[in-house]
Amino acid sequence: MTPKEALEFAQKNGAKMVDLKFCDFLGIWQHFSVPIRCLEESSFEEGFGFDGSSIRGWQAINASDMLIIPDPNTAFMDPFCEEPTISFICDVVDPITKEPYTRDPRYVAKKAEAYLKSTGIADTAYFGPEAEFFIFDDIRFDQNEHCGYYFIDSIEGRWNSGREENPNLGYKPRYKEGYFPVPPTDFFQDLRTQMVLQLEKLGVQIECQHHEVATAGQAEIDMRFAPLLQMGDNLMKYKYVIKNVAIENGFTVTFMPKPVFNDNGTGMHTHQSLWKDGQPLFAGDRYGGLSEIALYYIGGILKHAPALCAFTNPTTNSYKRLVPGFEAPVNLAYSSRNRSAAVRIPMYSPSPKAKRIEVRFPDPSCNGYLAFAAMLMAGLDGIENKIDPGEPLDKDIYSLSPEELAGVPSTPGSLEEALKALEADHDFLLKGNVFTEDVIEKWIEWKMEKEVNAVNLRPHPWEFALYFDV
């Protein structure tokens, strides 16, 4: 869509306002709105000013002025605004030099796609994330100098099987048994369908929706694969739509990896494949029907996985899910069909076009632009350096003996470990100036100061159960 076509689209739909959305450093959409009269063809070059010092991890206050440039190709009518509003996803630039801003996650994704083409290996990287989430009725949390708590509630929560609901009708999924009985046990079938239909209206193609394993409204809606940048945009729309449809129906959604103790956490298994000139590059006659290129790509993912986790699993809560011996694939191995491996080769279809790999350790707390770009760069490093992924591991990893497990590396045990891995291993991300030292340094600094240290400083409720009587 050209700027002129975007203006015609706005006029056709009776837009009265323009909503300008952009992704902050950590992966949250920010926005501001202007009257439709302020949108002109020149706006797509001149942009709109905002205060970059008020955005987490961005500008210092003495260099706060920034511009956002709406991308006309991303135009959509926002379904959650009372007045007709056209929305654009925007890029961030320096107001003086008009250069793209290095800490704009969308710019990182664009550079990753450009680097892929420059290698000559492929021209398109497809990503298909399976972002899971929880639908809750109520959430309350606080922490201060004298108390700290959270309270979660869900009409589906197994813990409510004995609650007086006048009447309590039962049908609450058992812990770890939410995958996937029909209604009435699956209370949220219709709500998920509303989410799917709204996403489809906005051009985000959906392949399926279903309840997930945990009790308390754990859900999954799968998007059809798309090129890296487009999927980064789609993931932002996905979170926006799902949260707002939930709110409209009196529920709330979280993409936290582990909000419920003692039940399955929330992952974002991410399918990936490379194509060139319209042909798939991951199909071949090697293990699992893969090509040599695909195996090298896996080698790069497994080698750099500890550093990747700083972007694919970027919260302290992520490592409540990535725990050895539980459901998450913490062991860095690959396998055909085996869902306990960090990298799986799906075997649903014999078609070469369906051949892909599935990286299973990421979670949806990530910034999709950065996570997808980082995984692509790791895979390309594997191809460029012919990194052997080793032998596949087709056994049930969780049943291996300690001796057998000793030779299988694992993901980091904490966000701090992942950040240290990124600090030690990020040269592969700097190729093509895709990630910059500035981005890596600021990411590590922010995460350590604002998240790792902030959590470490606060007493945990369970510590009182363990230690109050010492």
Side-chain angles (χ1 to χ4, degrees):
M1 192 180 291
T2 65
K4 182 179 179 181
E5 290 170 335
L7 290 172
E8 291 171 352
F9 177 76
Q11 184 177 23
K12 178 183 175 182
N13 287 279
K16 296 181 180 179
M17 294 292 292
V18 181
D19 199 55
L20 303 162
K21 296 177 170 67
F22 61 99
C23 183
D24 72 12
F25 197 42
L26 302 181
I28 304 295
W29 250 357
Q30 310 292 331
H31 80 129
F32 61 90
S33 302
V34 299
I36 190 65
R37 62 175 170 75
C38 297
L39 185 68
E40 303 173 345
E41 281 195 57
S42 60
S43 303
F44 296 91
E45 290 186 5
E46 297 174 1
F48 298 86
F50 74 101
D51 176 9
S53 68
S54 296
I55 306 299
R56 297 178 300 176
W58 278 7
Q59 292 294 86
I61 197 167
N62 62 313
S64 61
D65 289 352
M66 303 288 286
L67 286 177
I68 52 174
I69 308 294
D71 182 343
N73 291 306
T74 66
F76 66 94
M77 293 303 294
D78 197 308
F80 305 110
C81 295
E82 186 173 330
E83 296 293 341
T85 299
I86 186 171
S87 280
F88 295 94
I89 302 175
C90 301
D91 298 307
V92 183
V93 304
D94 184 281
I96 298 174
T97 66
K98 294 298 178 71
E99 290 293 317
Y101 184 43
T102 59
R103 297 183 205 166
D104 175 9
R106 199 165 187 262
Y107 180 45
V108 174
K110 284 185 174 183
K111 288 189 290 182
E113 287 192 324
Y115 178 72
L116 170 65
K117 293 176 182 178
S118 76
T119 65
I121 294 169
D123 53 39
T124 306
Y126 285 114
F127 284 79
E130 300 174 353
E132 299 167 358
F133 53 94
F134 277 89
I135 304 166
F136 293 143
D137 294 30
D138 188 50
I139 174 69
R140 292 178 288 129
F141 53 89
D142 196 10
Q143 182 139 23
N144 52 48
E145 288 74 15
H146 69 94
C147 69
Y149 64 86
Y150 66 88
F151 291 100
I152 293 168
D153 207 2
S154 168
I155 186 64
E156 269 197 7
R158 186 66 177 181
W159 57 81
N160 284 325
S161 60
R163 181 173 67 175
E164 290 189 15
E165 295 180 348
N166 301 311
N168 187 325
L169 300 177
Y171 296 112
K172 303 181 191 301
R174 299 177 186 90
Y175 296 109
K176 300 183 183 295
E177 293 187 26
Y179 191 85
F180 27 46
V182 298
T185 303
D186 180 359
F187 183 84
F188 291 110
Q189 166 69 14
D190 290 337
L191 181 62
R192 294 194 307 270
T193 293
Q194 285 187 46
M195 294 168 176
V196 168
L197 296 179
Q198 192 60 260
L199 284 163
E200 290 261 336
K201 286 180 184 177
L202 298 187
V204 180
Q205 293 186 2
I206 301 300
E207 294 193 328
C208 73
Q209 61 96 339
H210 58 83
H211 204 287
E212 255 299 335
V213 175
T215 190
Q218 192 181 35
E220 178 176 312
I221 297 175
D222 295 339
M223 291 178 280
R224 183 169 175 78
F225 64 88
L228 189 155
L229 177 64
Q230 183 183 341
M231 184 50 75
D233 290 343
N234 284 352
L235 184 59
M236 300 306 296
K237 285 184 183 178
Y238 178 93
K239 291 185 175 183
Y240 181 65
V241 167
I242 285 172
K243 289 177 181 179
N244 278 284
V245 169
I247 288 288
E248 286 184 340
N249 286 272
F251 297 100
T252 189
V253 158
T254 182
F255 290 92
M256 276 181 68
K258 192 73 172 183
V260 177
F261 169 63
N262 233 14
D263 209 341
N264 279 38
T266 289
M268 191 180 76
H269 309 148
T270 305
H271 298 255
Q272 302 169 44
S273 64
L274 297 181
W275 290 56
K276 187 174 184 178
D277 299 327
Q279 297 300 313
L281 300 183
F282 276 10
D285 58 2
R286 304 288 292 275
Y287 175 83
L290 294 178
S291 64
E292 186 174 59
I293 280 180
L295 287 171
Y296 288 147
Y297 190 100
I298 291 172
I301 293 287
L302 295 178
K303 176 183 177 181
H304 298 298
L308 287 178
C309 282
F311 290 112
T312 61
N313 305 80
T315 68
T316 59
N317 187 251
S318 298
Y319 300 88
K320 302 293 193 296
R321 168 181 170 260
L322 287 182
V323 177
F326 289 86
E327 79 280 359
V330 299
N331 295 291
L332 298 177
Y334 72 102
S335 177
S336 167
R337 302 178 68 183
N338 189 343
R339 294 172 187 267
S340 61
V343 178
R344 184 177 76 96
I345 301 122
M347 303 298 287
Y348 297 125
S349 170
S351 169
K353 292 184 177 181
K355 188 54 63 179
R356 61 199 187 274
I357 70 163
E358 177 192 24
V359 181
R360 292 180 62 80
F361 54 83
D363 69 57
S365 68
C366 71
N367 181 329
Y369 297 112
L370 299 182
F372 301 151
M375 285 188 279
L376 175 62
M377 296 303 289
L380 291 176
D381 187 64
I383 295 170
E384 292 165 340
N385 291 294
K386 298 183 176 180
I387 298 173
D388 186 349
E391 293 298 316
L393 191 57
D394 290 330
K395 299 178 182 178
D396 179 357
I397 294 175
Y398 301 129
S399 67
L400 295 180
S401 68
E403 292 76 22
E404 291 175 299
L405 271 176
V408 182
S410 62
T411 54
S414 67
L415 178 57
E416 184 172 6
E417 284 184 29
L419 293 170
K420 287 179 179 178
L422 176 62
E423 189 173 33
D425 175 28
H426 61 259
D427 287 349
F428 70 98
L429 295 172
L430 302 178
K431 293 178 182 178
N433 204 39
V434 174
F435 287 76
T436 61
E437 289 285 3
D438 168 66
V439 167
I440 301 293
E441 289 172 4
K442 177 54 70 172
W443 186 263
I444 293 172
E445 174 192 319
W446 179 276
K447 289 286 177 176
M448 283 297 300
E449 179 183 344
K450 304 294 186 180
E451 299 181 33
V452 172
N453 293 342
V455 169
N456 287 344
L457 284 170
R458 287 163 169 79
H460 188 285
W462 194 243
E463 289 178 314
F464 286 85
L466 291 173
Y467 308 127
F468 186 74
D469 59 349
V470 297

